Amino acid sequence: MRYLHVFTNALLPLSCAALHNGAPSDNSMPPKRVAIIGAGAGGSSAAYHLSLDSTSSGHPTEITVYEREAHIGGRTTTVNAWNDPHTPIELGGSIFVEVNHILVNASREFNLSIASEDRPKPADAPELGVWNGKEFVVITSGGDGWWEKAKLLWRYGLAPIKVNSLMKSTVGKFLQMYEEPMFPWQSLGDVVEKVGLLETTGKTGEQLLEENGIGGLFAEEIVQASTRVNYAQNLPLIHGLETMVCMAANGAMAVEGGNWKIFAHMIEKSGATLHLNTSVSQISKQFDGTYTVTTSSGKSATYDEVILAAPLQFTSLVIDPSPRHVPDEIPYVGLHVTLFASPHKISPEAFGLKASELVPQFVLTTLPPNEKPGTDPNGAGSPGFFSISIVSGGLNPHSTPSNRPETIYKIFSPHAIDSSFLSKILNVDVPDKEVEDDGPVTWIHHKLWHSYPYEYPRVTFEEIKLDDGLWYTSGIESFISTMETSALMGKNVARLVVEGWEGRRREEGQVFEGLKEQMGQKPLKAKL
Ligand SMILES: Cc1cc2nc3c(=O)[nH]c(=O)nc-3n(C[C@H](O)[C@H](O)[C@H](O)COP(=O)(O)OP(=O)(O)OC[C@H]3O[C@@H](n4cnc5c(N)ncnc54)[C@H](O)[C@@H]3O)c2cc1C
Ligand SMILES: *[C@@H]1O[C@H](CO)[C@@H](O)[C@H](O)[C@H]1NC(C)=O
Ligand SMILES: *[C@@H]1O[C@H](CO)[C@@H](O)[C@H](O)[C@H]1NC(C)=O
Ligand SMILES: *[C@@H]1O[C@H](CO)[C@@H](O)[C@H](O)[C@H]1NC(C)=O
């Protein structure tokens, strides 16, 4: 989402979520036991906000987080280039933006440093280019000087300004979801309708842009390059809201050392018991309304509430009995992420440039004119990939002599990247085994993610409360799939859980008061 700040430069107002009032704690209450399945953005945020909300409402709470991987962060995680802990590289969620209030606030609260943009820039290489498989349709220097603006104005007219104002009004609607009276929401469908975004999720990006008088080159070249790099989807498929999310690139940032640190601090701050390397295999509802959570190694424990913070379809979970609402299985993008280090530059010849020219640091892609993606999910089209970018630089500890400065690249593609693809873009012979300490590729990491859903237009969303005491965060991904929105859903569920306890405490209090009154009026015997 960082890629397009060249075109948009709105400063968006910060919103203020209502603060929760403190309440006296009742020491006589047994602690509420909550299990959270998944330590990604959603689960970590649920744990963190549950501990804040339960403390301020005076409910003692014991939180247990189960995570099947060996690390916190889920799809937000880093891998170390050359296995060197000095060079962590984001493998999944890599960028958040200034309107992402939960992440921005949390990184401030946890005193995390924001990574500086110290990408090694090949001298004078342009910042960004959009490649359509045949040619670069646009190349920008990244500067915001008058010449840059004039060039864009000439090519795109007023479209960038129109997109920017549409994006701002969309973000404004979305931010209402953080505040009372909208927050917390029991139903995603209801709140989306109330804030006025159902229109935007219900149509494609292409339709939304057309309706707003933004078609033609800007949509095809810039907006679509952005939906492709962020979601591996073209404009006729992805819904209008997610399209606008791609254009909301202001104040792009990342946490130094890895965005997962935000989530690790959230879990730590929550005081939760964390079980890593622990897969939950079954959730069983008991007659008394509690849940037994069983792990794949056969251990089980009982909880008052369970928060499922992972897409159900990828959890291998059995829920017994079947909950009132079972989330639908939906298609996810199978995205190949390839990270590699090389002493070489990307070859200009591979992109139809002269040998003396430089390939932009971010190569985004779009379809050539008249190539219709239709709704083919694997819509990379003639470019064959979604993006190739320089993400970092580093010193190769295994080169001779050691510590040779190299460039680290990231490729997003619908198919696995192999040595012949690498040979082509580097214009050198990359051997089949790919990696050699002094070769053209000195480190490589291949990862196939279920990265995000195909964001088909839709106007209904999964239930948040699957059953009494059973909650689900991942339905938000069909609305917007980002670290922030998962964190927002985690925070929302945490609030709903605590409000549920408060409601029950009030009811119990009323029943108790009622009983006392009745008992005061009549002898107890008469009641029996
Ligand atoms: C390549 C890529 C690039 C991206 N880029 C961005 C970006 O720039 N900015 C952005 O905001 N977002 C980005 N995203 C999206 C973002 O990473 C996700 O939306 C977000 O991290 C999802 O968080 P989550 O907590 O909802 O789910 P996850 O991160 O998937 O967390 C779910 C967790 O549950 C665990 N789990 C599953 N089943 C079980 C089980 N049975 N028992 C125990 N644990 C279980 C999983 O191991 C996982 O850790 C990107 C994603 C990818 C893949
Ligand atoms: C973020 O921090 C600001 C300033 O402290 C505060 O006003 C706002 O409510 C916070 N927002 C969220 C979503 O936590
Ligand atoms: C998780 O498993 C991995 C691999 O089996 C192991 O290296 C790691 O130490 C384990 N971590 C924890 C916290 O159990
Ligand atoms: C925040 O981090 C910086 C640099 O890592 C450190 O110098 C500073 O003392 C920290 N502040 C707090 C309040 O932890």
Side-chain angles (χ1 to χ4, degrees):
M1 306 198 182
R2 62 152 42 133
Y3 305 97
L4 290 156
H5 54 267
V6 186
F7 304 102
T8 56
N9 59 38
L11 279 170
L12 296 152
L14 281 166
S15 84
C16 298
L19 284 171
H20 212 250
N21 286 326
S25 133
D26 181 346
N27 291 327
S28 63
M29 276 192 289
K32 294 284 189 186
R33 299 154 300 175
V34 182
I36 298 175
I37 302 170
S44 310
S45 166
Y48 176 63
H49 290 99
L50 188 60
S51 97
L52 292 177
D53 289 353
S54 60
T55 305
S56 60
S57 69
H59 285 87
T61 306
E62 281 172 14
I63 306 169
T64 306
V65 178
Y66 293 95
E67 170 54 57
R68 88 180 149 195
E69 299 292 331
H71 60 87
I72 292 174
R75 272 170 279 168
T76 305
T77 192
T78 51
V79 289
N80 295 328
W82 307 289
N83 293 323
D84 176 356
H86 295 106
T87 328
I89 312 290
E90 293 286 5
L91 184 62
S94 50
I95 295 294
F96 53 101
V97 294
E98 67 192 16
V99 290
N100 291 165
H101 294 164
I102 296 176
L103 300 183
V104 171
N105 279 14
S107 28
R108 203 186 304 132
E109 156 120 22
F110 303 137
N111 196 25
L112 298 171
S113 318
I114 296 303
S116 55
E117 296 238 350
D118 57 355
R119 275 173 282 119
K121 186 174 166 176
D124 298 327
E127 177 157 18
L128 182 151
V130 180
W131 165 252
N132 72 5
K134 299 185 174 71
E135 58 175 346
F136 278 107
V137 290
V138 59
I139 290 185
T140 75
S141 73
D144 54 1
W146 64 270
W147 172 239
E148 203 55 38
K149 289 210 169 96
K151 269 200 315 193
L152 294 174
L153 194 62
W154 172 77
R155 189 167 181 85
Y156 301 122
L158 295 178
I161 294 166
K162 287 187 192 164
V163 167
N164 195 41
S165 81
L166 183 60
M167 178 275 289
K168 279 204 277 184
S169 80
T170 310
V171 169
K173 290 174 187 171
F174 165 69
L175 288 177
Q176 292 177 54
M177 289 171 64
Y178 285 68
E179 294 175 73
E180 279 177 3
M182 298 299 171
F183 183 86
W185 8 280
Q186 308 269 352
S187 152
L188 187 54
D190 284 355
V191 72
V192 171
E193 183 175 10
K194 281 192 198 133
V195 302
L197 286 175
L198 219 46
E199 278 279 282
T200 324
T201 62
K203 55 178 67 113
T204 66
E206 183 173 67
Q207 290 165 336
L208 178 72
L209 293 173
E210 256 166 30
E211 265 172 29
N212 284 274
I214 309 152
L217 288 183
F218 192 71
E220 281 167 35
E221 296 178 352
I222 302 303
V223 185
Q224 184 157 271
S226 184
T227 58
R228 287 164 64 92
V229 66
N230 283 304
Y231 290 108
Q233 292 162 62
N234 292 306
L235 283 178
L237 182 156
I238 193 170
H239 65 56
L241 179 64
E242 199 73 292
T243 303
M244 287 297 110
V245 167
C246 294
M247 302 312 291
N250 278 90
M253 63 191 105
V255 169
E256 203 167 290
N259 294 319
W260 60 268
K261 290 185 171 181
I262 297 176
F263 308 121
H265 276 87
M266 282 181 161
I267 292 200
E268 193 197 327
K269 258 281 163 64
S270 76
T273 304
L274 171 66
H275 298 294
L276 291 175
N277 281 350
T278 307
S279 188
V280 171
S281 54
Q282 184 157 345
I283 310 175
S284 312
K285 192 173 190 178
Q286 308 299 304
F287 287 116
D288 64 357
T290 62
Y291 286 86
T292 301
V293 167
T294 308
T295 68
S296 54
S297 63
K299 295 206 178 96
S300 56
T302 301
Y303 298 94
D304 299 297
E305 315 268 348
V306 175
I307 301 173
L308 177 52
L312 176 63
Q313 67 199 70
F314 302 128
T315 58
S316 320
L317 254 179
V318 174
I319 309 181
D320 174 46
S322 203
R324 250 196 320 270
H325 305 283
V326 180
D328 280 338
E329 189 166 337
I330 57 171
Y332 268 69
V333 173
L335 183 72
H336 289 265
V337 176
T338 309
L339 300 173
F340 70 96
S342 173
H344 295 280
K345 293 191 180 107
I346 300 290
S347 155
E349 286 95 338
F351 290 94
L353 299 174
K354 293 193 213 90
S356 59
E357 292 177 291
L358 287 162
V359 175
Q361 301 171 73
F362 292 103
V363 176
L364 309 191
T365 62
T366 192
L367 300 168
N370 305 322
E371 181 174 321
K372 288 290 161 237
T375 47
D376 171 17
N378 260 355
S382 17
F385 62 92
F386 298 111
S387 63
I388 299 178
S389 44
I390 294 178
V391 291
S392 183
L395 302 175
N396 173 3
H398 311 302
S399 61
T400 0
S402 83
N403 292 334
R404 176 174 62 186
E406 296 189 7
T407 305
I408 297 168
Y409 298 95
K410 181 186 278 188
I411 304 176
F412 289 161
S413 57
H415 306 292
I417 294 299
D418 59 13
S419 57
S420 70
F421 184 94
L422 295 169
S423 301
K424 188 172 157 223
I425 61 166
L426 294 173
N427 199 21
V428 289
D429 250 339
V430 175
D432 284 350
K433 65 169 185 178
E434 295 175 344
V435 172
E436 290 170 329
D437 287 349
D438 287 298
V441 171
T442 64
W443 169 76
I444 196 160
H445 188 96
H446 296 278
K447 171 74 184 177
L448 172 57
W449 286 110
H450 293 297
S451 47
Y452 12 68
Y454 282 103
E455 301 283 353
Y456 298 110
R458 59 187 290 166
V459 293
T460 58
F461 299 92
E462 294 300 344
E463 296 292 329
I464 299 170
K465 187 178 186 175
L466 300 183
D467 209 333
D468 294 325
L470 180 60
W471 308 85
Y472 187 55
T473 63
S474 299
I476 192 130
E477 287 196 60
S478 314
F479 169 67
I480 299 176
S481 182
T482 59
M483 299 181 280
E484 173 75 9
T485 38
S486 281
L488 174 61
M489 183 56 112
K491 178 176 176 171
N492 183 62
V493 165
R495 182 64 62 85
L496 293 177
V497 166
V498 173
E499 285 193 351
W501 295 339
E502 283 176 337
R504 249 166 287 155
R505 182 159 70 181
R506 264 195 308 275
E507 276 168 29
E508 280 159 16
Q510 278 159 12
V511 170
F512 184 62
E513 288 303 318
L515 268 180
K516 270 203 307 200
E517 230 168 75
Q518 287 174 349
M519 281 159 61
Q521 283 160 5
K522 291 179 194 167
L524 191 56
K525 259 192 291 185
K527 277 235 39 139
L528 305 171

